[in-house]
Amino acid sequence: MATGRTHRPATRSRGIPEATVARLPLYLRALTALSERSVPTVSSEELAAAAGVNSAKLRKDFSYLGSYGTRGVGYDVEYLVYQISRELGLTQDWPVVIVGIGNLGAALAGYGGFASRGFRVAALIDADPAMTGRPVAGIPVQHSDDLERIIEQDGVSIGVIATPAGVAQQVCDRLVAAGVTSILNFAPTVLSVPDGVDVRKVDLSIELQILAFHEQRKAGEDTGADGDAEHTPAVVPPAPRGAAGTGGRKGPDGDVPAVMPA
Amino acid sequence: MATGRTHRPATRSRGIPEATVARLPLYLRALTALSERSVPTVSSEELAAAAGVNSAKLRKDFSYLGSYGTRGVGYDVEYLVYQISRELGLTQDWPVVIVGIGNLGAALAGYGGFASRGFRVAALIDADPAMTGRPVAGIPVQHSDDLERIIEQDGVSIGVIATPAGVAQQVCDRLVAAGVTSILNFAPTVLSVPDGVDVRKVDLSIELQILAFHEQRKAGEDTGADGDAEHTPAVVPPAPRGAAGTGGRKGPDGDVPAVMPA
DNA sequence: CCATCTTTGTGCACGCGTTCACAAAGACAT
DNA sequence: ATGTCTTTGTGAACGCGTGCACAAAGATGG
């Protein structure tokens, strides 16, 4: 997955393991699909297959929520949808603000998956005055000067940061100061936040780099060439020290405006 | 984090733990920033702070790559940048195709972080004939009929899926059949792929749901109200069974075109 | 050349997460 | 009512990842 976990030291909230919490949305999605097909019950085996996990893991996950299954039959789909939704807090309305309406911010604003799960885009915020008032995905963009007012007025507790990396920390600080306690960060930076605030990050570049690693390994196995070569001893290591080698100008990252971290 | 790991059973490629691989891009980013500021060396303590991790963890991570540090001094920034880049396979060019040029696909196409790390957008592909030929982020969109030809011709091994969920598996199958062995999936579906193919997924909706869970927990602790209520015994469970309760029509998800999974 | 001080590299212990494997629970048929 | 068969729920073992704490390595100063 492209998700970065937070520093949260595995606080095991309310006895439900973090790993389990991360899978609940997966089960919920699979169950919702079954529900729409009017399937009354599922076995752990079937549901696990649909969610792409091990059936034993799924049963253990559900056991943390309580005993909602019937032996010899399986789980009642509708009931389970309700229980998981409640557990995840999706039975209530969550107003969300998106800060940074560039390519990515706009794409996120137009995402249909928000409303379907109790998330409501309360506001779009951007620092560019030229954007102010312009409707994106049907919602008028507001200027970042009004950030605090918007947060407090609408009681927003979840913020999405889709700004350039350079301003992400500032935006984060303002969000937190205004009362936001959960942040989804798309900017390529490590955000520092006070205790009690959750941060999750989504980083396209990191995902690609991880894929590249495995891809390289696959290729290396075939050729046997450089794949398992010992760390090249001393030959041709790039000029150690000296003036910043690469390019000189600030790299394409460093404050990427658009999508994800580098 | 918004990243979903694959089913890969912790294959520990080449002796480097998967968890370490996932952090290397983080270190690399921090090191690149230092390099641009012409900082010659860093201690594990400093670098760890910049990357947002524990210093012991960082040292252990680096120990898997070899002994690149100097006791009493720290790590040579340039040298480490080179070593990590090489380890991640970023010293070579990785052509990437993006399939599904909707809001998200377009945002991804315009992402500057690609080129900076050896990733090159080789092609944008969409099934809508109206899109064909239209330039997005300076690259003309090609029709999905040509998918196989493009993959083989450019030797593409990494594919990004940003299509609606409904067609994601088909697209995935075609990509794999054409030779792609690494996939980054933004569609809200569990993709099944043959052995040897890596899949990572990015799912906005899941991230938000995880945040909502913790958010609810925080709120529950304060009021003490519903926060720790036992799973409501038998009262008011939503109509178990019966015609698909919710709406009837296919939900807003199910084949979300835009951004991420539900 | 020796002493001191800094910082790496790692052995070890601990805890979370995963998986196996099975007993218990209940549906269903007779 | 009883037996059989299916499927859950979970105890226990295992493995990975994390973090502590320290010895070894090397720089630096006298």
Side-chain angles (χ1 to χ4, degrees):
Chain A
M1 268 157 255
T3 301
R5 187 152 309 167
T6 315
H7 53 79
R8 174 175 286 267
T11 311
R12 180 168 292 219
S13 336
R14 151 80 173 296
I16 301 180
E18 191 59 29
T20 295
V21 172
R23 279 188 294 268
L24 290 181
L26 227 55
Y27 301 144
L28 183 56
R29 185 194 298 158
L31 285 165
T32 303
L34 290 171
S35 171
E36 281 167 5
R37 287 166 39 207
S38 301
V39 176
T41 60
V42 267
S43 67
S44 62
E45 204 71 49
E46 294 168 321
L47 185 54
V53 301
N54 185 300
S55 71
K57 194 187 295 186
L58 178 142
R59 286 198 300 277
K60 179 144 290 189
D61 283 341
F62 285 175
S63 77
Y64 292 115
L65 308 183
S67 289
Y68 294 148
T70 305
R71 301 180 188 224
V73 176
Y75 299 90
D76 183 287
V77 172
E78 295 295 329
Y79 188 58
L80 207 44
V81 165
Y82 170 71
Q83 288 300 342
I84 294 180
S85 294
R86 194 175 57 80
E87 200 66 53
L88 285 173
L90 303 181
T91 51
Q92 60 185 283
D93 181 72
W94 293 106
V96 172
V97 294
I98 302 175
V99 186
I101 312 303
N103 283 331
L104 177 63
L108 296 177
Y111 178 44
F114 274 120
S116 66
R117 290 272 177 274
F119 298 102
R120 176 173 53 85
V121 180
L124 305 181
I125 301 177
D126 199 284
D128 182 2
M131 292 289 294
T132 306
R134 241 177 69 185
V136 170
I139 303 171
V141 174
Q142 302 185 63
H143 192 268
S144 49
D145 285 349
D146 298 330
L147 189 147
E148 286 77 8
R149 185 181 54 73
I150 297 166
I151 302 288
E152 286 158 28
Q153 190 170 298
D154 291 4
V156 175
S157 55
I158 300 179
V160 177
I161 297 180
T163 66
V167 298
Q169 183 65 59
Q170 306 170 33
V171 168
C172 174
D173 292 342
R174 287 181 64 186
L175 286 173
V176 170
V180 166
T181 47
S182 289
I183 290 176
L184 183 52
N185 180 32
F186 285 86
T189 320
V190 177
L191 293 179
S192 61
V193 293
D195 281 353
V197 176
D198 281 304
V199 176
R200 297 186 68 85
K201 74 167 188 289
V202 175
D203 192 318
L204 167 66
S205 178
I206 285 182
E207 296 306 314
L208 281 177
Q209 290 176 51
I210 295 172
L211 285 177
F213 172 85
H214 293 300
E215 198 60 39
Q216 174 178 243
R217 195 176 60 80
K218 289 177 202 162
E221 278 172 357
D222 293 345
T223 66
D226 190 42
D228 199 20
E230 281 310 309
H231 12 290
T232 39
V235 199
V236 201
R241 322 227 168 169
T246 335
R249 280 244 163 271
K250 78 177 172 144
D253 315 294
D255 94 332
V256 184
V259 181
M260 290 151 191
Chain B
M1 277 139 254
T3 301
R5 187 150 311 168
T6 317
H7 52 77
R8 174 173 287 268
T11 311
R12 182 168 293 217
S13 335
R14 152 79 172 298
I16 300 180
E18 192 57 31
T20 295
V21 172
R23 279 188 295 268
L24 290 181
L26 228 54
Y27 302 143
L28 183 55
R29 185 194 298 158
L31 284 166
T32 302
L34 291 171
S35 171
E36 281 165 7
R37 285 168 37 207
S38 300
V39 176
T41 60
V42 268
S43 67
S44 62
E45 204 71 49
E46 295 167 322
L47 186 54
V53 303
N54 185 301
S55 71
K57 194 187 294 185
L58 178 142
R59 286 197 301 275
K60 181 148 290 189
D61 282 342
F62 285 174
S63 77
Y64 292 115
L65 308 183
S67 291
Y68 294 147
T70 305
R71 300 179 189 224
V73 177
Y75 299 90
D76 182 287
V77 173
E78 295 295 328
Y79 188 58
L80 207 45
V81 165
Y82 171 72
Q83 289 300 340
I84 294 180
S85 294
R86 195 176 56 81
E87 199 67 52
L88 286 173
L90 305 181
T91 52
Q92 60 185 283
D93 180 72
W94 293 106
V96 172
V97 296
I98 302 175
V99 186
I101 313 301
N103 283 331
L104 177 64
L108 296 178
Y111 177 46
F114 275 119
S116 65
R117 291 272 177 274
F119 299 101
R120 176 173 52 85
V121 180
L124 305 180
I125 302 176
D126 198 285
D128 182 2
M131 291 290 292
T132 306
R134 240 177 69 185
V136 171
I139 304 171
V141 174
Q142 302 184 64
H143 193 267
S144 50
D145 285 349
D146 298 329
L147 188 147
E148 284 78 7
R149 185 182 54 73
I150 296 167
I151 301 287
E152 286 158 29
Q153 191 170 297
D154 291 2
V156 175
S157 56
I158 300 179
V160 176
I161 298 179
T163 66
V167 299
Q169 182 64 58
Q170 304 171 35
V171 168
C172 175
D173 292 342
R174 287 181 64 186
L175 287 173
V176 170
V180 166
T181 48
S182 288
I183 290 176
L184 183 52
N185 179 32
F186 286 86
T189 321
V190 177
L191 294 179
S192 61
V193 293
D195 282 353
V197 176
D198 281 305
V199 177
R200 297 187 67 85
K201 74 167 188 288
V202 175
D203 193 321
L204 166 67
S205 178
I206 285 182
E207 296 307 313
L208 282 177
Q209 289 174 52
I210 295 172
L211 285 178
F213 172 84
H214 293 299
E215 199 60 39
Q216 176 180 240
R217 194 176 59 81
K218 290 177 203 163
E221 279 172 355
D222 294 344
T223 65
D226 191 41
D228 199 23
E230 281 310 309
H231 11 292
T232 38
V235 199
V236 201
R241 324 229 168 168
T246 336
R249 280 244 165 270
K250 77 175 173 153
D253 315 294
D255 91 333
V256 185
V259 181
M260 289 150 190

